[in-house]
Amino acid sequence: MAWKAMARVTDVEPGTVKACRINDIPLALYNLDGEFFATHDICTHAHACLSDGYLEDGRIECPLHQGLFDVRTGKAVSGPVDVDLKTFAVRVDGDEVLVDLD
Ligand code: FES
């Protein structure tokens, strides 16, 4: 495990997503009612940042062609996307959200 600091808990309000970059990897950090999840930030369909998309009901809608991913599992659920997103384990330590990049 290689836990890295990703953001402060207060940086990501519930129901929102934030772009982060660690070790040159673009990541998206989601806060679903106080529970945090992380995925790769680039859509698997084409080059779009999912952190610029619309988050609702635990799904992120890609801003480019409206593909939908489940942010808990990374599963591609509808639209033109058919390749799942890579997900990363996260945990909260005090005021920080940590991500495991392994
Ligand atoms: S780039 Fe995300 S759905 Fe096309």
Side-chain angles (χ1 to χ4, degrees), residues 51-77:
S51 55
D52 291 333
Y54 180 66
L55 180 63
E56 186 176 55
D57 295 333
R59 293 174 172 186
I60 188 74
E61 182 183 78
C62 178
L64 196 53
H65 307 115
Q66 290 72 53
L68 276 178
F69 297 93
D70 184 316
V71 304
R72 294 178 176 90
T73 63
K75 186 155 186 53
V77 292

Side-chain angles (χ1 to χ4, degrees), residues 24-91:
D24 222 23
I25 302 170
L27 302 168
L29 177 63
Y30 310 87
N31 181 337
L32 303 183
D33 296 326
E35 198 173 356
F36 291 91
F37 298 88
T39 70
H40 202 276
D41 194 23
I42 305 302
C43 185
T44 58
H45 180 239
H47 195 89
C49 291
L50 295 171
S51 55
D52 291 333
Y54 180 66
L55 180 63
E56 186 176 55
D57 295 333
R59 293 174 172 186
I60 188 74
E61 182 183 78
C62 178
L64 196 53
H65 307 115
Q66 290 72 53
L68 276 178
F69 297 93
D70 184 316
V71 304
R72 294 178 176 90
T73 63
K75 186 155 186 53
V77 292
S78 83
V81 295
D82 56 8
V83 176
D84 296 344
L85 272 177
K86 182 168 176 51
T87 60
F88 300 88
V90 296
R91 68 180 174 90

